[in-house]
Structures are given as C-alpha cells and as structure tokens.
Amino acid sequence: MLIDRHCHLDFPDFASELDDVVGRAREVGIGRLVTISTRVRKHDQVRAVAERFDDVFCSVGTHPHNAHEELDIGTDELLKLAAHPKVVAIGEAGLDYHYDNLPRYAQEQGFRAHVAAARQSGLPLVIHSREADDDMARILEEESGKGAFPA
C-alpha cells in the first residue's frame, strides 16, 4: 500500500475540492494520507479533515515558521491532542533558517517540546529542517541523550 505521509489537506487551496483530491489519491493507489499540522491552534481543522475520511490521518504540531506564535504550547498540550485515534504523528516541527526572519530561540523551544511529546507518546516526530543542519544535529544529539524517540 502506498501512503502519502506528508500533505496539507487543511490548506484553503483544497477546501472547495477536498473530496476530489482524496478521491484522486485513491484512484492512483494511495491507501492512506497523513495531513500534517502546521499550527496547534488550528489542529481542530486538521483533525476534522482526518475525521471526514476513513483513510486520512493527521499529526499535531507547529511548523517552525509559526513557532513564535505558539510558545505557550508545550508538551502536555501536544500529548493531550495526540491521544485522538486519528493522530499518528507529532509535528511538523523543527528549524527553518532559510528566510532568517523568525526567532531561532522560538523554533528551538518549540522543537524540543515536540521531541518530548514524541518521546512520551511513542508517535513518530515529523521533522522540518532547512538550512539549519548544525543546530538540528546539536538538538537531536542532546535530545537523544534524554531518551529515544521515533522520527
């Protein structure tokens, strides 16, 4: 079975044709889709898409571009939301230095909360990393020292 493990079905671009998008995926042999969260505060929308279709699942997380907007969302809230049966992953979280106009400390703080949630829940961590290799390697090494987590 083929699985599209990273799509964004909750994005407004797909709202008017969501049934068709999922239908076309099925027609070409995609057996499951995982729609990836970019903002915990909009998780209800992501989860609603997953609940609408038997073969669509979702993650819960904050994209690094939005990390500074969700610094108050910690591991406990991620774990609470991750308990839903349609949630199969934590993230998309990580570091993105491409535009270099977002606070790096916020990205790191958010990423570490997501790593802890993956560690505690046992759900895989969806990592976003762009032009941040050294910091990503450092954080993953430090976090691995605290205990294993799936990614």
Side-chain angles (χ1 to χ4, degrees):
M1 174 191 311
L2 293 176
I3 298 173
D4 182 341
R5 62 174 184 78
H6 194 122
C7 55
H8 295 283
L9 297 175
D10 64 305
F11 281 12
D13 313 47
F14 303 116
S16 65
E17 61 173 337
L18 189 56
D19 289 321
D20 292 337
V21 170
V22 173
R24 285 192 303 269
R26 290 175 182 147
E27 287 173 8
V28 297
I30 305 298
R32 300 279 187 274
L33 296 103
V34 181
T35 187
I36 301 297
S37 174
T38 59
R39 288 183 170 95
V40 172
R41 288 198 178 89
K42 293 187 176 185
H43 179 68
D44 288 349
Q45 296 167 359
V46 175
R47 190 181 63 235
V49 170
E51 289 173 336
R52 185 169 158 187
F53 304 96
D54 288 342
D55 48 357
V56 175
F57 296 84
C58 67
S59 71
V60 59
T62 304
H63 189 282
H65 286 175
N66 308 110
H68 63 289
E69 300 168 358
E70 297 192 343
L71 284 174
D72 59 324
I73 296 173
T75 302
D76 289 342
E77 186 167 353
L78 291 168
L79 289 169
K80 179 181 167 193
L81 295 169
H84 190 281
K86 281 290 202 161
V87 176
V88 297
I90 304 292
E92 166 176 14
L95 307 174
D96 192 324
Y97 297 168
H98 179 72
Y99 299 108
D100 207 25
N101 59 0
L102 301 165
R104 291 183 178 191
Y105 77 88
Q107 293 181 50
E108 182 170 339
Q109 178 181 322
F111 183 53
R112 288 183 186 272
H114 285 72
V115 171
R119 183 184 299 113
Q120 291 177 43
S121 69
L123 293 174
L125 177 65
V126 180
I127 298 173
H128 176 101
S129 182
R130 182 163 61 161
E131 297 180 25
D133 293 348
D134 291 341
D135 284 345
M136 181 59 72
R138 173 184 53 80
I139 292 167
L140 290 173
E141 186 173 331
E142 290 170 7
E143 290 296 329
S144 293
K146 297 176 185 175
F149 56 91

